[in-house]
Amino acid sequence: MGDTPDRSANAGTGGPRVTIGHAGSAGAALSVDVPVTPADRAPDGAGRRGGGSGGGGTGLGGGGALPRRSAFGAERLFQSFTMAAGAMVLVIIVAIAIFLIAKAVPALNANTANFFTFEGWFPNEAQPRFGIGALAFGTVLTSVLALLLAVPVALGIALYLSHYAPRRVGTALGFLVDLLAAVPSVVFGLWGRDFFYGPVQEFSVWLNKYFGWIPIFGGEGPFGRSILLGSLVLAIMVLPIITSLSREVFRQTPTANEEAALALGATKWEMIRTAVLPYGRPGVIGATMLGLGRALGETIALAMTLGIVSSISFNIIENGGNTVAANIANAFGEANDTGRGALIASGLVLFSITLIVNITARAIIYRRREFTESAA
Amino acid sequence: MTTTTTAPPSTAPGQSPQLRTRRLPVVASLGIAVAAVVLSAAVVYGAGIGGTALVVALAVVFYLVGLFLASNAVEGRRQARNRTWSALIHSAFVLALLPLASVTWTLVSKGIERLDGNFFGTSMNNIGARDPNGGAYHAIIGTLEQVGVATLITVPLGIACAIYIVEYGRGRFAFTIRFFVDVMTGIPSIVAGLFVLAFWILIVSPYFNDGRPGYSGFAASLALSVLMLPTIVRSTEEMLRLVPAPLREGAYALGIPKWKTILRIVLPTALPGIVTGVMLAVARAAGETAPVLLVAGGGAAINFNPFENNQSSLALYVYQQAGDASRYAPARAWAAALTLVALVLILTIAAKLLARRNRFSR
């Protein structure tokens, strides 16, 4: 089997290159000396067998006793089935776009305000007026704020788990971080609303008292159900994703690099700065983008913690703030036909943004084939 | 070989040759910590600008600064940086454990209040704002049925898709599918809900429902399937790739066609890993609120039929009770949240333990 690529050799790489298997059955395997190239098995994986057995003229097909015909049918059937299942993924993504557009267009035509700039959401009135200006602003503001809070802490935890903690402790605590990722978002929302609201409100009042001269901490109150609360809850929710992906890349730093740095007399931090961080940078960027995608799409936790005010304001501690996703959850209950269409239109915008962010993130991660762990 | 004793241990770089470099004693860093707390308490309470939280926050800052200065004086700048960063990394970890502990504590202490037989045995039918009882029976039924149907839809589809990616697919098409499976993991759950709303509720279901949009548990299952599919495909794909090549080659050598090899040899070998992935996906789907909110309707009564009429789910129940004005609603919300987290965590932990027991050579 000299020319057949060894499956186990590529097993751990996780790269998109699929290992080349054996398309033929036993009889066809007589031709194994022929180098197996993708072109060789191009059309449907059965071409080679067709040549070897169907005609029989080439003399390669030796397994005359095998039940070739029936196997051929089942093989084709099974292969088509798996291929259809694979194509289903693409179909779903395209279908999402098509159906969202189909339902959004009537509402967008009925809209009497500019969809992209108008700062309000009144799609249920006789003259529907709605725009995602304030919603998109709130979405971006909460997500960026959440990432600013979460990324440094997540990198700290990832470094701690991969390079500082004893191995056993690191494994156990990493397990704990993964469990944090499994907690449903509605629970974080409930926690943020019923418990975390108190400390954040006190903190907001304190910030307003001593740093009120900075515009983002200004205002007259009331404080609490604010962008700050939403962003903090969001930060806690994206923390596990960024942590577990970063920990994976940090752990994969070649030991040779680390030991070389240490051998040159570097301290532990210098070793991390010169060997671990540069190696992990693409992975960290990809993880951050994935966290961003998650934060942009987060619905329930924000619907429960934000003040739900559709206006553009940079003040992060006063009651207020709204996001595209949270608005969908909150406004869906009393939406009429146009209202639903309007929400679907805003969902379409969200879908496009997250799709772009995710494709970028995945493209960055794919450049590093060493990734084996999936994100979620 | 006695001359090798001077080799520095790799775990403590730059700290070994005690003959030359001076090290900051442990007592010193403890002293700095105490001094930082005292100083910060004095500053905060002296100026009257805050409470305990501010004392702790300032103490950490003072400790880091003090540690850097002391270490800089005794050990030099590089060791000082090393120590400060190390302290920062450790404090980041402690900082992350705080919300975890807080969520757990709040969840258990508030959730235990209503966790009784009545909660698991009754629905919210005819429960008014003044009624202290009422339960989540209908929601638990809804969650189990919706997730169950979604699993039935997704598992065959996901496994077949993974088989295609690993065993059959090659070239650009397989690469595209694999890439978009990854992209699909990032689709927001609310978008999946909107998709099913636009596709199933508003376009397809009126045909079965006298022209009116029919909200149902099955629609929620469809939305959950969209969310579960990429997770299952990815984990199954990883597991199929770990099946040793000699197993397949042995099967081929015995004259077994490829499809039978996959179904009889490859899949059973990878089964524990696939089950793990499915359980993780189920756990994630059980906690989703947004899609269920949009397409299941969320009724208060018990409805065993997922294909007709409104259904609720545990996550949706938490959301609805949290928004309810009744003074008894928060206790119900927390009890349901505790139930939901227990369900999700049991599934997750079981899945991870299963994965650990059945790990291939990796």
Side-chain angles (χ1 to χ4, degrees), chain B residues 53-241:
Chain B
L54 188 65
V55 173
V56 174
L58 263 186
V60 171
V61 175
F62 286 153
Y63 174 72
L64 288 175
V65 172
L67 187 68
F68 182 81
L69 291 179
S71 177
N72 197 14
V74 178
E75 298 171 316
R77 176 163 290 265
R78 290 174 54 212
Q79 273 302 330
R81 279 215 185 113
N82 187 29
R83 274 181 190 277
T84 314
W85 275 106
S86 168
L88 261 178
I89 286 169
H90 281 85
S91 51
F93 187 76
V94 174
L95 188 66
L97 283 183
L98 286 180
L100 184 67
S102 169
V103 170
T104 315
W105 170 247
T106 324
L107 195 60
V108 172
S109 64
K110 290 199 180 193
I112 212 90
E113 193 183 323
R114 268 306 312 278
L115 217 60
D116 45 31
N118 185 27
F119 182 77
F120 290 109
T122 58
S123 74
M124 285 301 287
N125 215 5
N126 292 327
I127 299 290
R130 289 158 178 274
D131 295 323
N133 50 347
Y137 182 58
H138 63 303
I140 295 171
I141 296 290
T143 292
L144 293 182
E145 286 190 355
Q146 287 155 19
V147 173
V149 173
T151 311
L152 286 183
I153 297 173
T154 322
V155 166
L157 201 62
I159 291 180
C161 181
I163 288 176
Y164 177 74
I165 293 176
V166 176
E167 305 282 343
Y168 289 110
R170 48 188 61 89
R172 289 206 73 81
F173 187 61
F175 177 84
T176 313
I177 288 178
R178 194 176 184 279
F179 184 79
F180 276 97
V181 166
D182 276 347
V183 169
M184 208 173 156
T185 54
I187 288 181
S189 57
I190 192 96
V191 170
L194 283 176
F195 163 60
V196 173
L197 176 75
F199 161 65
W200 183 262
I201 303 281
L202 296 181
I203 295 180
V204 178
S205 78
Y207 289 106
F208 308 116
N209 206 32
D210 309 329
R212 282 177 292 110
Y215 296 89
S216 65
F218 178 67
S221 306
L222 286 180
L224 295 180
S225 306
V226 173
L227 297 171
M228 284 170 75
L229 184 64
T231 324
I232 292 185
V233 173
R234 275 311 307 265
S235 57
T236 308
E237 186 198 328
E238 305 262 322
M239 287 307 136
L240 290 183
R241 280 182 203 283

Side-chain angles (χ1 to χ4, degrees), chain A residues 98-122:
Chain A
I98 288 175
F99 282 104
L100 291 189
I101 291 173
K103 282 292 164 188
V105 166
L108 288 177
N109 285 335
N111 191 5
T112 54
N114 188 326
F115 179 65
F116 289 104
T117 55
F118 184 66
E119 288 181 34
W121 197 262
F122 313 104

Side-chain angles (χ1 to χ4, degrees), chain A residues 6-8 11 14-22 26 41 71 74-75 78-79 81-83 85-90 92-93 95-96 99-100 103 153 156-157 159-161 164 173 175-176 178-180 182 184 186-188 190-191 193-195 206 210 236 239 262 265-270 297 299-300 303-304 325 328-330 332 340 343-344 347 350-351 354-355 358-359 362-363 366 372-374 376, chain B residues 10 13 48-50 54 78-79 82 85-86 89-90 92-93 95-97 99-100 102-103 106-107 110 157 160-161 163-170 173 175 177-188 190-191 194-195 197-199 202-203 215 226 229 231 234 238 241 243 245 248-249 252 255 258-259 262-263 287 289-290 293-294 315 318-319 322 333-334 337 340-341 344-345 348-349 352 356 362:
Chain A
D6 186 5
R7 191 175 290 273
S8 52
R17 275 304 295 180
V18 181
T19 44
I20 294 173
H22 312 264
R41 45 180 82 233
E75 179 71 42
F78 186 69
Q79 193 181 350
F81 171 63
T82 61
M83 191 166 176
M88 195 69 188
V89 171
L90 303 181
I92 288 175
I93 290 184
I96 290 176
F99 282 104
L100 291 189
K103 282 292 164 188
V153 180
I157 304 169
L159 281 177
Y160 175 78
L161 293 178
Y164 280 88
L173 293 178
F175 186 69
L176 213 60
D178 287 345
L179 282 190
L180 194 61
V186 68
V187 174
F188 280 112
L190 194 64
W191 175 76
R193 213 190 60 138
D194 282 8
F195 174 81
W206 183 84
Y210 293 99
I236 295 169
L239 199 66
L262 293 177
T267 60
K268 187 156 197 167
W269 166 246
E270 284 166 343
T299 311
I300 291 298
M304 291 169 86
I328 296 173
N330 276 318
F332 182 74
R340 277 200 289 258
L343 293 177
I344 289 176
L350 184 65
F351 176 62
T354 48
L355 207 59
N358 273 299
I359 288 179
R362 290 297 172 184
Y366 266 49
T372 53
E373 289 284 323
S374 64
Chain B
S10 63
I49 53 170
L54 188 65
R78 290 174 54 212
Q79 273 302 330
N82 187 29
W85 275 106
S86 168
I89 286 169
H90 281 85
F93 187 76
L95 188 66
L97 283 183
L100 184 67
S102 169
V103 170
T106 324
L107 195 60
K110 290 199 180 193
L157 201 62
C161 181
I163 288 176
Y164 177 74
I165 293 176
V166 176
E167 305 282 343
Y168 289 110
R170 48 188 61 89
F173 187 61
F175 177 84
I177 288 178
R178 194 176 184 279
F179 184 79
F180 276 97
V181 166
D182 276 347
V183 169
M184 208 173 156
T185 54
I187 288 181
I190 192 96
V191 170
L194 283 176
F195 163 60
L197 176 75
F199 161 65
L202 296 181
I203 295 180
Y215 296 89
V226 173
L229 184 64
T231 324
R234 275 311 307 265
E238 305 262 322
R241 280 182 203 283
V243 174
R248 291 170 225 247
E249 282 157 9
Y252 297 142
K258 183 165 181 173
W259 66 276
I262 293 170
L263 287 182
T289 318
L293 170 74
L294 294 186
V318 175
Y319 180 63
W334 280 105
L340 182 61
V341 169
V344 167
L345 286 195
T348 311
I349 292 175
K352 301 234 166 187
R356 193 160 295 180
R362 220 182 153 157

